[in-house]
């Protein structure tokens, strides 16, 4: 079983958001979970573009869909390969 987590952002507090991603990785590793975190933004904001994930299991994604963070989240799940036993 793999855990797929989407973390949407509009980059209102970039440093806090980057810290949260790192904390998620730490907690998931401590729980021995198989996971991927999808960090998704509607548009490629400068801070988002400049962010370099600290772990290869953090995947950045830009939907290019204005005013639709829910659509941005769903766009990630439409692109990933997952099995019935995975958690989205």
């Amino acid at each position: 079983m793999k855990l797929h987590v989407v973390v949407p952002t509009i980059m209102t507090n970039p440093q806090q958001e980057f810290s949260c991603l790192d904390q998620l990785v730490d907690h998931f590793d401590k729980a021995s979970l198989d996971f991927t975190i999808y960090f998704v933004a509607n548009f490629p904001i400068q801070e988002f573009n400049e962010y370099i994930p600290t772990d290869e299991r953090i995947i950045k994604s830009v939907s290019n869909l204005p005013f639709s963070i829910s659509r941005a989240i769903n766009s990630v799940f439409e692109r990933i390969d997952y099995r019935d036993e995975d958690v989205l």
Side-chain angles (χ1 to χ4, degrees):
M1 177 180 77
K2 185 170 187 167
L3 180 63
H4 300 273
V5 177
V6 176
V7 177
T9 182
I10 56 172
M11 300 304 290
T12 55
N13 191 339
Q15 293 309 315
Q16 184 177 16
E17 294 177 41
F18 302 152
S19 175
C20 285
L21 290 171
D22 291 339
Q23 290 177 38
L24 282 172
V25 169
D26 288 342
H27 289 299
F28 291 162
D29 278 343
K30 286 177 184 172
S32 300
L33 296 173
D34 182 14
F35 67 93
T36 303
I37 299 170
Y38 303 91
F39 190 41
V40 63
N42 286 346
F43 289 102
I45 302 164
Q46 180 179 351
E47 291 90 346
F48 185 85
N49 284 344
E50 293 172 354
Y51 170 68
I52 299 171
T54 56
D55 190 283
E56 68 276 355
R57 295 166 293 184
I58 299 173
I59 311 272
K60 289 179 8 179
S61 177
V62 177
S63 69
N64 292 313
L65 298 168
F67 310 113
S68 183
I69 198 66
S70 62
R71 180 70 185 110
I73 293 167
N74 289 332
S75 72
V76 171
F77 291 132
E78 292 168 356
R79 293 192 321 259
I80 65 174
D81 182 32
Y82 57 90
R83 300 184 201 133
D84 288 341
E85 66 270 13
D86 290 350
V87 177
L88 306 175

